[in-house]
Amino acid sequence: MTDRIKSMAARWTVAVPVLAVVLLALTWGRDLPGVVVGVVTLVLAGAVLAAVHHAEVVAHRVGEPFGSLVLAVAVTVIEVALIVTLMLDGGDKSATLARDTVFAAVMITCNGIVGLSLLVGSLRHKTAVFNSEGTGAALATVTTLATLSLVLPTFTTSKPGPEFSTVQLTFAAVASLSLYGLFVATQTVRHRDYFLPVAKQGEPSRPEEDHAEAPSTRTAMISAGLLLLALIGVVGLAKGVSPTIESGVEAAGLGHGVVGVIIALLVLLPETIAAGRAARRNHVQTSMNLALGSAMASIGLTIPAVALASLWLPGPLVLGLGSTHMVLLALTVVVSALTVVPGRATPLQGGVHLVLLAAYLELAINP
């Protein structure tokens, strides 16, 4: 019976990414009626779950911390494509879409995914344990990237409004790429041990503690291809239903920034599920790698890509945050630092981060 269930699960995770891409090809560029939107939404949810499964297969094969990079980079690359596509279609009202989506990604990862992981890990294993050296380095990089890309444009004077001049935008793009590349080199080469799951005593977990046998290279390659299909399906189908989302947001009297929140929630759902599963296995460090790595990739890759796309985008590119969001970002950085320093957390820390996310979402709906 167990083998049969595993066989059915394997077939399902293969069929759904293919179905998502086929459905994307059939619906691309068309106005979708309500029934079709419902079907697309169901397939979209299935593609998210399939993406999580295949990302975990690849991660298990390559090991940490490389596994955490697989999903973070893949999702962010597709996220960039979605942002640029929507900005091309949206006109002046999409000038803040990149800022809104990137900031939403930062808040969701640093508060939502981190908070959920700490809560799950500490409730299941009494204390959530992680490496403060690696996690602290990741947090410092995220904080620097967020400040350079999202806070400084509000205070610069070269252009009116919260925008960078061309020279400033070029510097921000180069700095973002440089910091992200330096962090990846640190995480995967020079100080890899800082980003490995740790045991209760604070020592890196040994490979023999993971009882499941690593998948073969062939299986991992197939999962990598299906992961790419699933992510393409997720973002493509999300774009297909985005007009319905935008019209629903406008009909509800909400600000256009809510669209960026919804995009970030959809795109980051695979990482959220993967981080929660890692926390259940007492691999909270893997969850932290996913959360902060996703925030870092979202800024470090999105800002340079959007900066390059701004050469042909018709409208302005507004990156500077407002005062309310800057307060939330500052509070997130302070709370995250206090969470990371001890290298262990209780349900309290997880709850604090989740409340910060709830505050952000509430203020996005009722500014």
Side-chain angles (χ1 to χ4, degrees):
M1 179 65 71
T2 303
D3 292 339
R4 182 179 298 179
I5 293 174
K6 290 182 178 179
S7 178
M8 291 176 61
R11 293 175 184 175
W12 178 81
T13 54
V14 170
V16 170
V18 177
L19 177 61
V21 174
V22 171
L23 187 59
L24 173 61
L26 294 175
T27 59
W28 184 261
R30 300 184 181 183
D31 293 329
L32 305 180
V35 176
V36 177
V37 170
V39 173
V40 169
T41 303
L42 289 176
V43 176
L44 177 63
V48 167
L49 297 176
V52 172
H53 169 77
H54 292 299
E56 289 184 335
V57 171
V58 176
H60 194 187
R61 175 61 187 175
V62 301
E64 284 298 314
F66 298 96
S68 300
L69 289 172
V70 172
L71 190 56
V73 174
V75 167
T76 305
V77 169
I78 308 275
E79 175 190 346
V80 168
L82 179 58
I83 292 174
V84 172
T85 302
L86 291 178
M87 289 183 71
L88 286 171
D89 296 340
D92 289 341
K93 69 178 182 180
S94 64
T96 61
L97 181 61
R99 178 199 68 185
D100 295 337
T101 305
V102 169
F103 182 64
V106 171
M107 296 301 291
I108 292 168
T109 52
C110 293
N111 288 317
I113 300 180
V114 168
L116 176 66
S117 301
L118 295 179
L119 189 63
V120 170
S122 58
L123 287 177
R124 190 172 178 84
H125 304 283
K126 294 186 179 180
T127 304
V129 181
F130 51 90
N131 194 319
S132 60
E133 293 173 299
T135 307
L139 178 62
T141 309
V142 170
T143 301
T144 302
L145 289 172
T147 302
L148 289 176
S149 301
L150 301 177
V151 176
L152 284 183
T154 304
F155 300 99
T156 55
T157 58
S158 297
K159 290 188 69 174
E163 298 179 46
F164 272 146
S165 66
T166 302
V167 174
Q168 292 168 341
L169 186 59
T170 301
F171 171 79
V174 173
S176 297
L177 280 176
S178 300
L179 279 177
Y180 184 71
L182 181 60
F183 176 81
V184 169
T186 301
Q187 184 184 35
T188 58
V189 182
R190 293 187 62 86
H191 298 286
R192 183 170 176 265
D193 288 348
Y194 290 177
F195 302 91
L196 296 177
V198 295
K200 284 287 184 182
Q201 296 78 15
E203 297 296 329
S205 294
R206 302 304 178 192
E208 55 266 27
E209 292 179 7
D210 298 324
H211 300 292
E213 184 179 351
S216 64
T217 302
R218 180 175 179 273
T219 301
M221 292 295 292
I222 293 174
S223 285
L226 290 170
L227 171 62
L228 181 60
L229 284 181
L231 291 173
I232 292 173
V234 167
V235 178
L237 293 178
K239 184 185 185 304
V241 300
S242 62
T244 304
I245 294 174
E246 290 178 338
S247 61
V249 168
E250 292 179 0
L254 303 175
H256 192 71
V258 176
V259 176
V261 176
I262 295 173
I263 292 172
L265 285 171
L266 285 173
V267 172
L268 290 170
L269 188 54
E271 289 160 307
T272 303
I273 298 174
R277 289 181 175 177
R280 281 177 55 85
R281 298 193 302 268
N282 203 23
H283 286 182
V284 177
Q285 182 62 52
T286 300
S287 302
M288 302 296 273
N289 291 346
L290 280 168
L292 297 177
S294 299
M296 198 182 311
S298 184
I299 306 173
L301 298 179
T302 300
I303 296 302
V306 172
L308 183 62
S310 66
L311 296 175
W312 69 82
L313 288 173
L317 179 61
V318 176
L319 292 177
L321 295 172
S323 56
T324 302
H325 285 168
M326 280 193 284
V327 170
L328 285 174
L329 179 61
L331 185 57
T332 296
V333 170
V334 172
V335 170
S336 297
L338 294 175
T339 298
V340 166
V341 167
R344 58 184 62 240
T346 65
L348 175 61
Q349 282 94 336
V352 170
H353 282 279
L354 290 175
V355 166
L356 281 176
L357 175 64
Y360 163 70
L361 294 177
E362 195 277 333
L363 290 172
I365 297 172
N366 297 299

